[in-house]
Amino acid sequence: MHMTMTQKILAAKAGLNEVAAGQLINAKLDLALGNDITAPVAINEFEKAGFTDVFDKEKVVLVMDHFVPNKDIKSAEQCKQCRTFAGAQSLKNFFDVGEMGVEHALLPEKGLVVPGDCVVGADSHTCTYGALGAFSTGVGSTDLAAAMATGELWFKVPPALKFTLVGKPGPWVGGKDVILHIIGMIGVDGARYKSMEFSGPGLVNLSMDDRFCMANMAIEAGGKNGIFAVDEKTLEYLAGRATRDPLVVTADPDAIYEAEYTIDLSRIKPTVAFPHLPENTKTAEEAGDIPIDQVVIGSCTNGRLSDMKTAAEILKGRHVAKNVRTIIIPATPTIYKQCIQAGYLNIFVDAGCVVSTPTCGPCLGGYMGILAEGERCVATTNRNFVGRMGHTGSEVYLAGPAVAAASAITGKITNPQEVMK
């Protein structure tokens, strides 16, 4: 039938035998997500439209992860509005301080998304769940209001790009390096309103954490969504977490793609995206002498346990450079606890880092690491636009946890192999 993975999921959710790129459809949703920034706007629209009940108390998820514990009165009021709404609607999946984590790490961890799902969230990085073989994409708060009320939304079926992964990543190369390499190759509009589909024999060499990071940044290439073929590693991740049956789809052998790329993972090196776009990539060894003021290791791209492990391996027995503020943010309470049990927090603190409660704070210039004019930060976050992390005269360099940790030690952008000789 010529359908890609994404098209098969959308067809199933629309109750159609097949769909084609460009077709407008109405699809049923398995999950609708909001956070403490976007949900208040959606709640206002929901109530303004006269809706009184959400379509499903288990399928509307609210996560207070951007400005909590609340940083100011406005954020406190926004969270209060979400708490009140969640209580009135008896939402099963409302995550507040003490239970909340960075949303795109938390939902998979809780088993709330399974392969074949159709998920929307009022957050652009909702595309993260494509790592599980789901169709997931970001929407605006008004769309979220409609989604919360009806459990359906319309979509324009996206065309697709196919990325066949081969080979095995070398030392200190992870999912962040791979996706930065790809964005550097196709540009920030290279996948505009397209599905980025990842498959191939190299998939087995990418951890689920790698895949979450890569699917997360599909939006940074302009993608409608990113999606990975489901394999044994996916199903192992879901075991013990998910309670719903997955819908595993595979692309038809004659599926139509606008372009196809083969990515040899063994040829990718630790990569950095220079200001002020994720496409401005260089390898860490090509970076030159770029002194830095801050390092942030965390976020919905690289706040997972394997990211913490990588950072700990590099920081163990070493100390961050003088005047380099190094902020480490495990993405969820479970990851935080695992870091304690593994001894990572001792390593981080002994190395001169500060460890924060889960939050999206510094990524969007909210709090917990705002940059002043002229300051530079190496961050494992996903955007480096002008003013993204603070002053418009500051600079954000995107990298994986290995480059970030190595750079914290030397005080300049550094290939981790230089530190780990």
Side-chain angles (χ1 to χ4, degrees):
M1 292 187 288
H2 315 299
M3 287 199 290
T4 66
M5 285 188 274
T6 290
Q7 290 164 0
K8 282 192 173 180
I9 294 171
L10 290 177
K13 298 302 176 183
L16 300 171
N17 289 328
E18 62 181 310
V19 297
Q23 183 176 347
L24 296 179
I25 61 163
N26 205 53
K28 292 188 181 302
L29 305 172
D30 295 287
L31 220 59
L33 165 70
N35 57 49
D36 47 321
I37 294 178
T38 60
V41 180
I43 292 168
N44 290 341
E45 295 304 312
F46 179 94
E47 295 174 343
K48 194 187 303 180
F51 295 116
T52 56
D53 297 298
V54 298
F55 81 103
D56 190 315
K57 299 181 188 307
E58 296 189 11
K59 295 183 178 179
V60 174
V61 182
L62 299 184
V63 184
M64 306 296 97
D65 62 353
H66 278 64
F67 295 139
V68 294
N70 296 138
K71 78 178 185 74
D72 55 21
I73 294 172
K74 187 173 182 180
S75 63
E77 293 291 341
Q78 290 182 182
C79 285
K80 181 181 178 183
Q81 184 181 7
C82 292
R83 291 184 192 110
T84 301
F85 181 79
Q89 295 290 333
S90 301
L91 298 187
K92 180 181 178 182
N93 295 305
F94 174 68
F95 300 98
D96 205 343
V97 175
E99 297 181 321
M100 71 81 185
V102 174
E103 55 197 321
H104 305 312
L106 186 69
L107 268 61
E109 181 183 283
K110 294 288 186 183
L112 294 177
V113 182
V114 299
D117 274 358
C118 181
V119 179
V120 297
D123 186 282
S124 58
H125 294 104
T126 301
C127 48
T128 305
Y129 317 132
L132 293 169
F135 170 78
S136 59
T137 193
V139 298
S141 290
T142 305
D143 289 316
L144 176 60
M148 292 195 303
T150 67
E152 299 179 10
L153 277 184
W154 70 269
F155 298 95
K156 182 179 179 181
V157 177
L161 305 178
K162 182 177 182 179
F163 296 86
T164 301
L165 307 176
V166 301
K168 183 178 182 179
W172 309 115
V173 172
K176 184 61 148 293
D177 304 288
V178 178
I179 193 63
L180 287 179
H181 172 82
I182 290 173
I183 296 172
M185 185 176 71
I186 67 173
V188 293
D189 60 353
R192 187 166 52 195
Y193 207 89
K194 297 179 177 65
S195 174
M196 298 175 70
E197 295 204 357
F198 300 95
S199 59
L203 198 59
V204 69
N205 297 316
L206 294 178
S207 69
M208 287 308 300
D209 289 355
D210 289 326
R211 302 178 197 186
F212 284 125
C213 177
M214 291 174 63
N216 176 290
M217 292 193 69
I219 184 65
E220 306 308 330
K224 180 68 173 175
N225 70 312
I227 189 167
F228 280 72
V230 175
D231 62 5
E232 289 185 7
K233 203 169 278 190
T234 318
L235 300 177
E236 285 174 7
Y237 178 86
L238 291 166
R241 300 177 192 269
T243 57
R244 292 182 292 117
D245 293 331
L247 170 66
V248 178
V249 301
T250 55
D252 289 324
D254 58 353
I256 298 171
Y257 295 96
E258 287 201 353
E260 299 189 28
Y261 304 90
T262 297
I263 306 296
D264 186 348
L265 301 174
S266 69
R267 299 179 66 86
I268 295 175
K269 297 180 178 180
T271 302
V272 179
F274 276 50
H276 293 285
L277 286 173
E279 69 182 12
N280 295 335
T281 56
K282 297 181 181 179
T283 64
E285 61 190 17
E286 293 172 339
D289 188 14
I290 309 289
I292 59 173
D293 304 283
Q294 179 170 288
V295 165
V296 172
I297 300 175
S299 86
C300 55
T301 36
N302 291 114
R304 298 181 177 82
L305 186 62
S306 64
D307 303 308
M308 298 294 116
K309 181 175 185 289
T310 297
E313 287 174 350
I314 292 175
L315 289 165
K316 187 175 183 179
R318 299 179 173 87
H319 201 281
V320 301
K322 188 174 177 59
N323 299 326
V324 176
R325 309 179 299 271
T326 304
I327 304 164
I328 297 186
I329 309 176
T332 71
T334 297
I335 296 169
Y336 199 108
K337 191 175 174 181
Q338 290 170 329
C339 287
I340 294 172
Q341 292 168 340
Y344 299 160
L345 293 200
N346 283 338
I347 292 171
F348 297 148
V349 173
D350 289 346
C353 308
V354 63
V355 183
S356 165
T357 184
T359 179
C360 305
C363 174
L364 70 161
Y367 77 132
M368 196 63 73
I370 305 300
L371 298 175
E373 183 176 14
E375 290 190 323
R376 294 192 180 109
C377 178
V378 174
T380 66
T381 54
N382 43 32
R383 284 190 174 146
N384 59 350
F385 306 154
V386 173
R388 173 70 177 178
M389 197 176 277
H391 198 283
T392 55
S394 63
E395 295 180 345
V396 177
Y397 295 74
L398 303 177
V403 171
S407 301
I409 293 167
T410 63
K412 61 181 182 179
I413 294 176
T414 299
N415 185 336
Q417 290 181 341
E418 291 182 26
V419 173
M420 301 300 286
K421 289 176 182 175

